[in-house]
Amino acid sequence: MRRTSSRPLTKMMTAAAVGVMAAAGMAAPASAAEAPRADRLSASAAFQTVTTWVQGNVRIGPSTGYRIAYTVAANQNLTAVCWTEGGTVTANGYTHNKWVYLADERWIWGGLLKGNEVGNVSSRCW
């Protein structure tokens, strides 16, 4: 069961951003259960809301080779941090390798999001 916090959402998102920015680089997973964290963000990175257009899986890393963390419903809002290139996916009539890093340190394939290939997220993970 996931523990919840009474802290305001903005404080939790700020803590996630600090963790993402503090990482030195995208390291290989230490185990099959651990995925790389986004390494660095551009100075102009900001949280953005993305919305799913179909049901899909959120994963612990940016490819279908990583385990599923949870499933999201269509029209669900998520908080995005940045996007990167990862494993190529073909689904729902789309094929590409763009993955969006979420504030909860999970990844979603951009083809599940409304907007362009990255759900209109403007910041690339560096």
Side-chain angles (χ1 to χ4, degrees), residues 14-83:
T14 302
V18 169
V20 170
M21 290 186 232
M26 289 185 81
S31 69
E34 183 182 337
R37 294 175 59 172
D39 48 355
R40 286 178 275 180
L41 300 175
S42 67
S44 63
F47 291 103
Q48 293 179 257
T49 299
V50 294
T51 305
T52 57
W53 69 277
V54 294
Q55 177 179 324
N57 296 320
V58 174
R59 297 180 177 272
I60 66 168
S63 82
T64 57
Y66 290 97
R67 76 172 171 79
I68 297 169
Y70 55 91
T71 300
V72 291
N75 296 309
Q76 184 169 337
N77 291 329
L78 304 167
T79 303
V81 179
C82 57
W83 67 272

Side-chain angles (χ1 to χ4, degrees), residues 86-97:
T88 300
V89 176
T90 299
N92 305 316
Y94 297 97
T95 300
H96 64 78
N97 67 344

Side-chain angles (χ1 to χ4, degrees), residues 8 12 15 17 28 33 48 82 89 92 101 113 122 126:
M12 290 188 301
Q48 293 179 257
C82 57
V89 176
N92 305 316
Y101 186 67
L113 303 174
S122 57
W126 300 103

